[in-house]
mmCIF file of all heavy atoms in Angstrom:
data_model
loop_
_atom_site.group_PDB
_atom_site.id
_atom_site.type_symbol
_atom_site.label_atom_id
_atom_site.label_comp_id
_atom_site.label_asym_id
_atom_site.label_seq_id
_atom_site.Cartn_x
_atom_site.Cartn_y
_atom_site.Cartn_z
ATOM 1 N N PRO A 176 24.123 -54.041 35.903
ATOM 2 C CA PRO A 176 22.879 -54.590 35.346
ATOM 3 C C PRO A 176 21.948 -53.524 34.782
ATOM 4 O O PRO A 176 21.187 -53.803 33.861
ATOM 5 C CB PRO A 176 22.247 -55.308 36.548
ATOM 6 C CG PRO A 176 22.866 -54.673 37.758
ATOM 7 C CD PRO A 176 24.256 -54.299 37.351
ATOM 8 N N GLN A 177 21.994 -52.316 35.341
ATOM 9 C CA GLN A 177 21.095 -51.261 34.868
ATOM 10 C C GLN A 177 21.764 -50.477 33.749
ATOM 11 O O GLN A 177 22.745 -49.782 33.960
ATOM 12 C CB GLN A 177 20.722 -50.312 36.021
ATOM 13 C CG GLN A 177 19.770 -49.179 35.626
ATOM 14 C CD GLN A 177 18.427 -49.686 35.140
ATOM 15 O OE1 GLN A 177 17.889 -50.659 35.678
ATOM 16 N NE2 GLN A 177 17.885 -49.056 34.120
ATOM 17 N N GLN A 178 21.243 -50.637 32.552
ATOM 18 C CA GLN A 178 21.754 -49.900 31.398
ATOM 19 C C GLN A 178 20.586 -49.186 30.711
ATOM 20 O O GLN A 178 19.437 -49.615 30.827
ATOM 21 C CB GLN A 178 22.449 -50.854 30.422
ATOM 22 C CG GLN A 178 23.688 -51.526 30.963
ATOM 23 C CD GLN A 178 24.817 -50.550 31.280
ATOM 24 O OE1 GLN A 178 24.878 -49.437 30.753
ATOM 25 N NE2 GLN A 178 25.725 -50.966 32.168
ATOM 26 N N PRO A 179 20.801 -48.087 30.014
ATOM 27 C CA PRO A 179 22.101 -47.496 29.723
ATOM 28 C C PRO A 179 22.700 -46.762 30.918
ATOM 29 O O PRO A 179 22.018 -46.480 31.901
ATOM 30 C CB PRO A 179 21.782 -46.521 28.592
ATOM 31 C CG PRO A 179 20.376 -46.102 28.864
ATOM 32 C CD PRO A 179 19.694 -47.340 29.374
ATOM 33 N N THR A 180 23.992 -46.468 30.821
ATOM 34 C CA THR A 180 24.676 -45.658 31.810
ATOM 35 C C THR A 180 24.605 -44.204 31.367
ATOM 36 O O THR A 180 25.011 -43.864 30.253
ATOM 37 C CB THR A 180 26.152 -46.084 31.930
ATOM 38 O OG1 THR A 180 26.208 -47.446 32.379
ATOM 39 C CG2 THR A 180 26.895 -45.205 32.921
ATOM 40 N N LYS A 181 24.073 -43.356 32.242
ATOM 41 C CA LYS A 181 23.901 -41.937 31.910
ATOM 42 C C LYS A 181 24.857 -41.112 32.767
ATOM 43 O O LYS A 181 24.771 -41.142 33.993
ATOM 44 C CB LYS A 181 22.457 -41.496 32.171
ATOM 45 C CG LYS A 181 21.406 -42.283 31.392
ATOM 46 C CD LYS A 181 20.007 -41.790 31.720
ATOM 47 C CE LYS A 181 18.937 -42.565 30.992
ATOM 48 N NZ LYS A 181 17.576 -42.047 31.308
ATOM 49 N N LEU A 182 25.748 -40.385 32.121
ATOM 50 C CA LEU A 182 26.789 -39.626 32.816
ATOM 51 C C LEU A 182 26.779 -38.171 32.361
ATOM 52 O O LEU A 182 26.419 -37.867 31.224
ATOM 53 C CB LEU A 182 28.169 -40.220 32.524
ATOM 54 C CG LEU A 182 28.376 -41.703 32.841
ATOM 55 C CD1 LEU A 182 29.729 -42.165 32.305
ATOM 56 C CD2 LEU A 182 28.274 -41.963 34.341
ATOM 57 N N PHE A 183 27.194 -37.278 33.270
ATOM 58 C CA PHE A 183 27.452 -35.892 32.865
ATOM 59 C C PHE A 183 28.731 -35.414 33.521
ATOM 60 O O PHE A 183 29.179 -35.973 34.520
ATOM 61 C CB PHE A 183 26.273 -34.965 33.210
ATOM 62 C CG PHE A 183 26.199 -34.524 34.653
ATOM 63 C CD1 PHE A 183 26.829 -33.350 35.077
ATOM 64 C CD2 PHE A 183 25.496 -35.268 35.587
ATOM 65 C CE1 PHE A 183 26.752 -32.933 36.408
ATOM 66 C CE2 PHE A 183 25.416 -34.863 36.919
ATOM 67 C CZ PHE A 183 26.050 -33.690 37.330
ATOM 68 N N TYR A 184 29.334 -34.392 32.946
ATOM 69 C CA TYR A 184 30.564 -33.818 33.485
ATOM 70 C C TYR A 184 30.522 -32.304 33.336
ATOM 71 O O TYR A 184 29.819 -31.757 32.466
ATOM 72 C CB TYR A 184 31.799 -34.386 32.768
ATOM 73 C CG TYR A 184 31.780 -34.192 31.269
ATOM 74 C CD1 TYR A 184 32.226 -33.007 30.687
ATOM 75 C CD2 TYR A 184 31.304 -35.202 30.420
ATOM 76 C CE1 TYR A 184 32.185 -32.823 29.321
ATOM 77 C CE2 TYR A 184 31.269 -35.026 29.050
ATOM 78 C CZ TYR A 184 31.709 -33.836 28.504
ATOM 79 O OH TYR A 184 31.669 -33.650 27.155
ATOM 80 N N ILE A 185 31.258 -31.624 34.172
ATOM 81 C CA ILE A 185 31.447 -30.176 34.094
ATOM 82 C C ILE A 185 32.921 -29.904 34.382
ATOM 83 O O ILE A 185 33.431 -30.367 35.405
ATOM 84 C CB ILE A 185 30.580 -29.416 35.114
ATOM 85 C CG1 ILE A 185 29.088 -29.706 34.890
ATOM 86 C CG2 ILE A 185 30.846 -27.913 35.046
ATOM 87 C CD1 ILE A 185 28.182 -29.106 35.965
ATOM 88 N N GLY A 186 33.602 -29.204 33.502
ATOM 89 C CA GLY A 186 35.007 -28.950 33.780
ATOM 90 C C GLY A 186 35.732 -28.262 32.655
ATOM 91 O O GLY A 186 35.179 -28.019 31.575
ATOM 92 N N PRO A 187 37.026 -27.957 32.875
ATOM 93 C CA PRO A 187 37.830 -27.259 31.873
ATOM 94 C C PRO A 187 38.350 -28.182 30.784
ATOM 95 O O PRO A 187 38.653 -29.348 31.042
ATOM 96 C CB PRO A 187 38.977 -26.674 32.700
ATOM 97 C CG PRO A 187 39.138 -27.633 33.836
ATOM 98 C CD PRO A 187 37.756 -28.135 34.145
ATOM 99 N N MET A 188 38.436 -27.646 29.579
ATOM 100 C CA MET A 188 39.043 -28.317 28.426
ATOM 101 C C MET A 188 40.108 -27.378 27.866
ATOM 102 O O MET A 188 40.115 -26.180 28.166
ATOM 103 C CB MET A 188 37.990 -28.629 27.347
ATOM 104 C CG MET A 188 36.742 -29.325 27.863
ATOM 105 S SD MET A 188 37.052 -30.999 28.441
ATOM 106 C CE MET A 188 35.556 -31.283 29.424
ATOM 107 N N PHE A 189 40.990 -27.916 27.017
ATOM 108 C CA PHE A 189 42.130 -27.136 26.565
ATOM 109 C C PHE A 189 42.386 -27.367 25.073
ATOM 110 O O PHE A 189 42.539 -28.503 24.641
ATOM 111 C CB PHE A 189 43.385 -27.517 27.356
ATOM 112 C CG PHE A 189 43.214 -27.406 28.851
ATOM 113 C CD1 PHE A 189 42.664 -28.455 29.577
ATOM 114 C CD2 PHE A 189 43.582 -26.248 29.519
ATOM 115 C CE1 PHE A 189 42.488 -28.357 30.946
ATOM 116 C CE2 PHE A 189 43.413 -26.140 30.882
ATOM 117 C CZ PHE A 189 42.864 -27.192 31.598
ATOM 118 N N ARG A 190 42.418 -26.278 24.313
ATOM 119 C CA ARG A 190 42.762 -26.368 22.889
ATOM 120 C C ARG A 190 43.595 -25.151 22.510
ATOM 121 O O ARG A 190 43.288 -24.025 22.922
ATOM 122 C CB ARG A 190 41.501 -26.410 22.004
ATOM 123 C CG ARG A 190 40.641 -27.646 22.201
ATOM 124 C CD ARG A 190 39.474 -27.655 21.233
ATOM 125 N NE ARG A 190 38.471 -28.644 21.612
ATOM 126 C CZ ARG A 190 37.296 -28.802 21.005
ATOM 127 N NH1 ARG A 190 36.995 -28.012 19.978
ATOM 128 N NH2 ARG A 190 36.439 -29.705 21.408
ATOM 129 N N TYR A 191 44.624 -25.392 21.711
ATOM 130 C CA TYR A 191 45.469 -24.295 21.246
ATOM 131 C C TYR A 191 44.779 -23.670 20.034
ATOM 132 O O TYR A 191 44.871 -24.175 18.918
ATOM 133 C CB TYR A 191 46.865 -24.780 20.886
ATOM 134 C CG TYR A 191 47.799 -23.633 20.554
ATOM 135 C CD1 TYR A 191 48.450 -22.943 21.566
ATOM 136 C CD2 TYR A 191 48.004 -23.232 19.243
ATOM 137 C CE1 TYR A 191 49.296 -21.881 21.281
ATOM 138 C CE2 TYR A 191 48.843 -22.180 18.937
ATOM 139 C CZ TYR A 191 49.480 -21.502 19.966
ATOM 140 O OH TYR A 191 50.304 -20.439 19.678
ATOM 141 N N GLU A 192 44.045 -22.581 20.271
ATOM 142 C CA GLU A 192 43.319 -21.899 19.222
ATOM 143 C C GLU A 192 43.610 -20.408 19.289
ATOM 144 O O GLU A 192 44.132 -19.899 20.282
ATOM 145 C CB GLU A 192 41.807 -22.116 19.371
ATOM 146 C CG GLU A 192 41.365 -23.561 19.233
ATOM 147 C CD GLU A 192 39.855 -23.689 19.257
ATOM 148 O OE1 GLU A 192 39.273 -23.609 20.341
ATOM 149 O OE2 GLU A 192 39.277 -23.856 18.180
ATOM 150 N N ARG A 193 43.232 -19.696 18.246
ATOM 151 C CA ARG A 193 43.333 -18.247 18.268
ATOM 152 C C ARG A 193 42.215 -17.705 19.141
ATOM 153 O O ARG A 193 41.037 -17.836 18.797
ATOM 154 C CB ARG A 193 43.214 -17.702 16.838
ATOM 155 C CG ARG A 193 43.303 -16.190 16.749
ATOM 156 C CD ARG A 193 43.317 -15.739 15.296
ATOM 157 N NE ARG A 193 43.232 -14.290 15.206
ATOM 158 C CZ ARG A 193 42.081 -13.617 15.119
ATOM 159 N NH1 ARG A 193 40.936 -14.275 15.118
ATOM 160 N NH2 ARG A 193 42.079 -12.297 15.040
ATOM 161 N N PRO A 194 42.549 -17.091 20.278
ATOM 162 C CA PRO A 194 41.489 -16.641 21.195
ATOM 163 C C PRO A 194 40.582 -15.600 20.537
ATOM 164 O O PRO A 194 41.046 -14.705 19.834
ATOM 165 C CB PRO A 194 42.272 -16.033 22.368
ATOM 166 C CG PRO A 194 43.624 -16.662 22.297
ATOM 167 C CD PRO A 194 43.890 -16.848 20.832
ATOM 168 N N GLN A 195 39.290 -15.742 20.770
ATOM 169 C CA GLN A 195 38.287 -14.793 20.309
ATOM 170 C C GLN A 195 37.065 -14.951 21.185
ATOM 171 O O GLN A 195 37.043 -15.806 22.075
ATOM 172 C CB GLN A 195 37.957 -15.025 18.832
ATOM 173 C CG GLN A 195 37.563 -16.470 18.508
ATOM 174 C CD GLN A 195 37.426 -16.707 17.030
ATOM 175 O OE1 GLN A 195 36.530 -16.167 16.400
ATOM 176 N NE2 GLN A 195 38.333 -17.504 16.454
ATOM 177 N N SER A 196 36.050 -14.139 20.948
ATOM 178 C CA SER A 196 34.870 -14.181 21.799
ATOM 179 C C SER A 196 34.253 -15.583 21.823
ATOM 180 O O SER A 196 33.926 -16.148 20.775
ATOM 181 C CB SER A 196 33.830 -13.175 21.292
ATOM 182 O OG SER A 196 32.653 -13.231 22.065
ATOM 183 N N GLY A 197 34.131 -16.145 23.010
ATOM 184 C CA GLY A 197 33.534 -17.465 23.172
ATOM 185 C C GLY A 197 34.453 -18.616 22.850
ATOM 186 O O GLY A 197 34.047 -19.778 22.925
ATOM 187 N N ARG A 198 35.697 -18.331 22.477
ATOM 188 C CA ARG A 198 36.649 -19.392 22.112
ATOM 189 C C ARG A 198 37.971 -19.108 22.809
ATOM 190 O O ARG A 198 38.632 -18.106 22.504
ATOM 191 C CB ARG A 198 36.830 -19.446 20.598
ATOM 192 C CG ARG A 198 37.604 -20.664 20.102
ATOM 193 C CD ARG A 198 37.801 -20.601 18.605
ATOM 194 N NE ARG A 198 36.553 -20.699 17.879
ATOM 195 C CZ ARG A 198 35.989 -21.830 17.491
ATOM 196 N NH1 ARG A 198 36.572 -22.975 17.785
ATOM 197 N NH2 ARG A 198 34.852 -21.824 16.827
ATOM 198 N N TYR A 199 38.334 -19.973 23.734
ATOM 199 C CA TYR A 199 39.529 -19.739 24.549
ATOM 200 C C TYR A 199 40.407 -20.980 24.558
ATOM 201 O O TYR A 199 39.981 -22.070 24.169
ATOM 202 C CB TYR A 199 39.125 -19.363 25.984
ATOM 203 C CG TYR A 199 38.174 -18.194 26.042
ATOM 204 C CD1 TYR A 199 36.803 -18.386 26.235
ATOM 205 C CD2 TYR A 199 38.646 -16.892 25.881
ATOM 206 C CE1 TYR A 199 35.935 -17.309 26.267
ATOM 207 C CE2 TYR A 199 37.781 -15.813 25.923
ATOM 208 C CZ TYR A 199 36.421 -16.021 26.105
ATOM 209 O OH TYR A 199 35.555 -14.968 26.138
ATOM 210 N N ARG A 200 41.629 -20.814 25.045
ATOM 211 C CA ARG A 200 42.548 -21.953 25.115
ATOM 212 C C ARG A 200 42.265 -22.824 26.328
ATOM 213 O O ARG A 200 42.502 -24.028 26.288
ATOM 214 C CB ARG A 200 43.994 -21.432 25.114
ATOM 215 C CG ARG A 200 44.350 -20.821 23.779
ATOM 216 C CD ARG A 200 45.746 -20.240 23.725
ATOM 217 N NE ARG A 200 46.007 -19.739 22.374
ATOM 218 C CZ ARG A 200 47.118 -19.111 22.011
ATOM 219 N NH1 ARG A 200 48.080 -18.900 22.910
ATOM 220 N NH2 ARG A 200 47.268 -18.699 20.773
ATOM 221 N N GLN A 201 41.781 -22.226 27.388
ATOM 222 C CA GLN A 201 41.139 -23.001 28.458
ATOM 223 C C GLN A 201 39.689 -22.577 28.477
ATOM 224 O O GLN A 201 39.368 -21.409 28.704
ATOM 225 C CB GLN A 201 41.758 -22.752 29.829
ATOM 226 C CG GLN A 201 40.989 -23.513 30.932
ATOM 227 C CD GLN A 201 41.596 -23.358 32.312
ATOM 228 O OE1 GLN A 201 42.784 -23.534 32.507
ATOM 229 N NE2 GLN A 201 40.764 -23.025 33.282
ATOM 230 N N PHE A 202 38.812 -23.522 28.199
ATOM 231 C CA PHE A 202 37.371 -23.248 28.200
ATOM 232 C C PHE A 202 36.688 -24.320 29.027
ATOM 233 O O PHE A 202 37.327 -25.277 29.494
ATOM 234 C CB PHE A 202 36.834 -23.203 26.767
ATOM 235 C CG PHE A 202 37.054 -24.480 25.986
ATOM 236 C CD1 PHE A 202 36.035 -25.411 25.831
ATOM 237 C CD2 PHE A 202 38.282 -24.756 25.405
ATOM 238 C CE1 PHE A 202 36.234 -26.588 25.121
ATOM 239 C CE2 PHE A 202 38.500 -25.927 24.687
ATOM 240 C CZ PHE A 202 37.484 -26.842 24.548
ATOM 241 N N HIS A 203 35.409 -24.170 29.229
ATOM 242 C CA HIS A 203 34.699 -25.065 30.145
ATOM 243 C C HIS A 203 33.455 -25.629 29.467
ATOM 244 O O HIS A 203 32.781 -24.920 28.705
ATOM 245 C CB HIS A 203 34.310 -24.312 31.422
ATOM 246 C CG HIS A 203 35.495 -23.762 32.166
ATOM 247 N ND1 HIS A 203 36.177 -22.645 31.725
ATOM 248 C CD2 HIS A 203 36.125 -24.188 33.288
ATOM 249 C CE1 HIS A 203 37.181 -22.396 32.558
ATOM 250 N NE2 HIS A 203 37.172 -23.315 33.508
#
């Protein structure tokens, strides 16, 4: 009944990229 729903998350993400400063294949 109470909307909007407000959510947050903290965690690792994964992308196949060319690693460089601030850009990684596992990042958070």
Side-chain angles (χ1 to χ4, degrees):
Q177 181 62 38
Q178 296 296 338
T180 298
K181 302 179 181 181
L182 304 172
F183 79 91
Y184 56 85
I185 301 174
M188 310 292 163
F189 305 85
R190 295 184 194 175
Y191 187 83
E192 297 185 283
R193 180 174 173 269
Q195 53 188 293
S196 178
R198 190 183 294 271
Y199 306 101
R200 292 178 177 177
Q201 176 177 311
F202 59 100
H203 300 75

